[in-house]
Amino acid sequence: MKLLGESGWYGERSAAFQSDLMGCAIAKTFDACETLYHHGDAANGIYSILSGGVQITAPADDGQEFVLHREGAGFWIGDLALFANAKRLVSVVTTQETQALFFPNARISRLVQDKPEYIRDFYALTHDNMQTALRIMANLAVTGTEKRLVLRLLHLDEGTSKSGEWIVVSQDELAEMIAVSQPTLHRCLRRLAKLDLIELGYGRVRLLDRRALIASCQT
């Protein structure tokens, strides 16, 4: 639980809230490619990722599922549908073996009933996740394929447990995330690799020089 308390939404909450929330937790282990929940499912609770990672997808109007984002340890999801008493808007699937905490609806509802002031803490989580969604949309609007790719890689890298780790993502998925063709993505990745800014592996990418990548987006 140490990771959860160090930073992010959970780390910014009061000690009392953290303690009460952990009293609602159920530890779960998922294999790679297991589904936490599907788009359209009834909300059943909130998930917190302790290790491993998840991929978030959503259907387009034609019904085809597209990759929106990936996140790793420290990520929380499931709050929006829970408090709206609505269906899930996205699907969440593990990208690798993943340790998570699950907070069932009934336990969260009871917690908020007992301590109504905690609703502000959960709204803060929804605010954080909305900020992430808006950042993804803003970066997609950036002109220039390579710049858009770099911005997405920098964002995905924040989802690893620490800087310098591999980002687990296939080129198919990465192409979907930045709305470009496979050949275009491949050319951009190879160019960044030749400049020693990134390292490519099978189904994964590692950033070698974050500072230079950030600078490339500012020119």
Side-chain angles (χ1 to χ4, degrees), residues 69-192:
H69 192 48
R70 287 195 167 199
E71 283 282 359
F75 181 59
W76 294 72
I77 194 167
D79 51 296
L80 183 61
L82 191 161
F83 290 105
N85 193 27
K87 302 293 186 181
R88 300 292 195 186
L89 296 178
V90 298
S91 300
V92 181
V93 180
T94 58
T95 57
Q96 55 199 290
E97 183 177 321
T98 297
Q99 304 289 327
L101 293 178
F102 175 59
F103 302 83
N105 270 12
R107 296 186 183 184
I108 294 296
S109 296
R110 193 158 51 243
L111 178 62
V112 172
Q113 287 173 2
D114 291 342
K115 298 186 177 180
E117 66 272 19
Y118 284 174
I119 195 67
R120 290 184 177 274
D121 293 285
F122 288 111
Y123 270 124
L125 172 58
T126 302
H127 178 274
D128 282 0
N129 285 339
M130 177 56 72
Q131 187 176 46
T132 296
L134 291 173
R135 180 180 176 187
I136 290 169
M137 288 190 289
N139 287 344
L140 271 174
V142 168
T143 303
T145 300
E146 186 171 303
K147 185 174 181 179
R148 200 157 66 242
L149 170 60
V150 169
L151 288 170
R152 177 46 65 98
L153 289 175
L154 288 166
H155 194 179
L156 290 172
D157 188 57
E158 294 172 13
T160 62
S161 60
K162 61 181 179 180
S163 181
E165 288 194 352
W166 288 98
I167 301 167
V168 180
V169 62
S170 72
Q171 291 193 18
D172 283 345
E173 293 159 348
L174 196 52
E176 284 184 18
M177 289 182 190
I178 63 171
V180 298
S181 67
Q182 273 284 339
T184 299
L185 175 72
H186 185 74
R187 286 195 298 271
C188 290
L189 287 173
R190 287 297 175 190
R191 180 177 180 280
L192 293 174

